[in-house]
Amino acid sequence: MRLVTAWFVFLVSLLSLVACQSGDSTATEGESPSSTAAKPADPSKPIKIGFIVKSRADSWFATELRFAQEAAKENGFELIEMEGK
């Protein structure tokens, strides 16, 4: 059950990051919505995603980190791991 919960928390966090990257759909006067949209990422540069855990020693956070590492391998992005203070 803890494994399912950890996976669920990771997926929700990842989806939140994706949702935050959507462009601002409200254009100011004189601008078209397409001119204010987010630009696509440069495919020649690797995607980097940061992941901060409270403590690597705690089994809950270690599990979260392990799933994040697996997702990085499977999906081809660079995971930047940090421990909160």
Side-chain angles (χ1 to χ4, degrees), residues 7 18 23 35 38 41 45 51 56 61 67 76 79-80 85:
W7 186 242
V18 171
S35 67
K45 294 183 180 177
F51 194 75
R56 292 175 195 248
F61 298 115
F67 277 111
L79 183 68
I80 300 171
K85 302 273 180 192

Side-chain angles (χ1 to χ4, degrees), residues 13-25 36-42 46-50 77:
S13 300
L14 189 61
L15 289 174
S16 297
L17 286 173
V18 171
C20 290
Q21 292 185 2
S22 64
D24 184 10
S25 62
T36 60
K39 305 288 187 258
D42 183 356
I47 295 174
K48 297 178 183 182
I49 297 178
F77 61 86

Side-chain angles (χ1 to χ4, degrees), residues 11-77:
L11 287 177
V12 169
S13 300
L14 189 61
L15 289 174
S16 297
L17 286 173
V18 171
C20 290
Q21 292 185 2
S22 64
D24 184 10
S25 62
T26 58
T28 59
E29 190 173 330
E31 290 183 326
S32 67
S34 63
S35 67
T36 60
K39 305 288 187 258
D42 183 356
S44 66
K45 294 183 180 177
I47 295 174
K48 297 178 183 182
I49 297 178
F51 194 75
I52 301 172
V53 294
K54 185 175 181 180
S55 170
R56 292 175 195 248
D58 186 289
S59 63
W60 174 269
F61 298 115
T63 302
E64 284 185 341
L65 189 55
R66 190 184 59 184
F67 277 111
Q69 292 165 338
E70 289 176 17
K73 269 187 213 173
E74 290 173 10
N75 297 299
F77 61 86

